[in-house]
Amino acid sequence: MSQITELETETDFHSHISSATPSTLIVISFHTPWAAPCKQMKEILSALASTYPPASPATISFISLNAETLPDISESYDVTAVPFLVLQRDGKVLESVSGCDAGKVRGAVERHVGATGEGKNKSSLPAALATQPRPDDKVDASTSNGVSASGAATKDLSGYAPTAADPATAPEMSSTAGDNEALDQRLAELVKAAPVMLFMKGTPSSPQCGFSRQLVAMLREQGVRYGFFNILADEDVRQRMKVWADWPTFPQLWVGGELVGGLDIVKEELDSDPEFFKDYAVGKGKGGMAAPEDQKQPETASA
């Protein structure tokens, strides 16, 4: 049976990719040791891999990478959260799956591996972990799937289709989309919204990538008060920021309206100057957000 191969270096990864035949489906699993759902993904992939017998040349290859220790590879596949699965063949990405839903993972693999009759033992796959709402999510616990807590059926909306008269149920797209001048002005204001501004994936209490998580921890340890911007909440800002700042990755740390850089650069600055954040610190280990936790698109932030 096939197995998952853990690759620990970029050299190992590129060697594995280059040695695969053009017909081999490569399943790349990005994980981190601190994310519990990654353990579930490993179980799912192990069960799935066991249903594909070894072949020559290989029909399918399962590999696993630590997203934090191999940041360049993670960035090249735009990994913003873990677990994250990428299916590719002959150097081309075919599909990606975020999360650890066994059905979605199995379906994605079966779509691309080919109708070989292999890998069809669906009952061997573990069920996906149940998702849990964040503490700040407003969830009505009295109803679930159209049935109230008392057991009474609620209004059936399965056949409902919205009309033009219905109110909008999602926020409008950014009014600055397509208007780079206005968006650049907005970015110029955002980077100065607080003396220290962190543009990150997710929020400080719920980072969506390991690099953002590490930078949040570093600022907290240094006692820095900072504002933040969740770039996953605004695609216009996320894409334009890369060009405007001439810095293609996130997180980005800005101090006094000037770009410092990403996690590695901040580490280097602290190594060369332990008092780098001295003017912005409120006490060792007491750092935190200068802006409210629930802000997603801050226009201003206090110091």
Side-chain angles (χ1 to χ4, degrees):
M1 64 180 182
S2 298
Q3 296 181 334
I4 305 173
T5 302
E6 181 73 24
L7 302 179
E8 298 181 352
T9 68
E10 288 190 23
T11 300
D12 291 342
F13 173 76
H14 293 302
S15 176
H16 187 94
I17 296 297
S18 62
S19 64
T21 64
S23 62
T24 301
L25 177 67
I26 302 178
V27 181
I28 310 170
S29 175
F30 290 91
H31 67 87
T32 61
W34 50 268
C38 290
K39 296 180 181 179
Q40 178 75 1
M41 174 63 87
K42 184 177 181 180
E43 294 179 10
I44 293 170
L45 290 180
S46 295
L48 188 58
S50 69
T51 66
Y52 290 92
S56 183
T59 303
I60 187 170
S61 175
F62 293 85
I63 61 177
S64 180
L65 308 174
N66 187 321
E68 290 185 333
T69 59
L70 298 173
D72 291 340
I73 297 176
S74 299
E75 197 68 41
S76 69
Y77 285 96
D78 198 25
V79 177
T80 60
V82 290
F84 190 79
L85 204 67
V86 175
L87 285 74
Q88 75 173 42
R89 177 182 284 121
D90 196 19
K92 298 178 181 178
V93 174
L94 305 174
E95 188 173 347
S96 61
V97 179
S98 182
C100 56
D101 186 307
K104 290 182 179 179
V105 171
R106 181 189 63 243
V109 171
E110 291 181 354
R111 272 193 295 276
H112 300 290
V113 75
T116 62
E118 300 170 343
K120 302 299 184 182
N121 187 7
K122 299 180 181 181
S123 62
S124 65
L125 299 182
L129 288 174
T131 58
Q132 297 294 327
R134 288 176 52 192
D136 55 348
D137 287 341
K138 300 296 188 291
V139 179
D140 183 359
S142 65
T143 62
S144 176
N145 294 326
V147 179
S148 68
S150 63
T154 59
K155 185 177 181 180
D156 182 8
L157 299 178
S158 60
Y160 173 75
T163 67
D166 290 330
T169 57
E172 297 290 336
M173 293 297 289
S174 172
S175 61
T176 60
D179 186 350
N180 288 341
E181 184 176 350
L183 186 51
D184 288 351
Q185 178 59 39
R186 183 183 176 206
L187 295 178
E189 295 173 355
L190 279 174
V191 298
K192 298 178 181 177
V196 177
M197 277 294 295
L198 175 61
F199 290 79
M200 64 180 292
K201 294 177 180 179
T203 65
S205 66
S206 183
Q208 296 300 304
C209 80
F211 311 116
S212 293
R213 179 177 63 85
Q214 290 182 61
L215 197 40
V216 165
M218 187 179 299
L219 292 174
R220 183 179 296 116
E221 172 61 25
Q222 292 294 318
V224 178
R225 299 292 288 178
Y226 62 94
F228 77 92
F229 188 98
N230 177 10
I231 54 97
L232 299 181
D234 192 319
E235 189 64 15
D236 289 339
V237 168
R238 179 182 183 180
Q239 297 304 330
R240 185 60 182 171
M241 191 77 168
K242 299 176 183 180
V243 178
W244 185 79
D246 194 21
W247 196 269
T249 61
F250 295 95
Q252 294 180 13
L253 188 69
W254 292 70
V255 176
E258 299 292 331
L259 175 65
V260 176
L263 177 62
D264 290 343
I265 301 300
V266 175
K267 285 182 177 179
E268 291 176 4
E269 292 288 356
L270 283 172
D271 287 341
S272 61
D273 180 11
E275 296 188 347
F276 180 73
F277 289 117
K278 179 181 178 180
D279 293 340
Y280 309 98
V282 294
K284 277 284 185 179
K286 298 181 181 179
M289 295 165 289
E293 168 59 39
D294 60 355
Q295 75 175 7
K296 291 183 179 179
Q297 301 178 25
E299 297 297 338
T300 61
S302 60

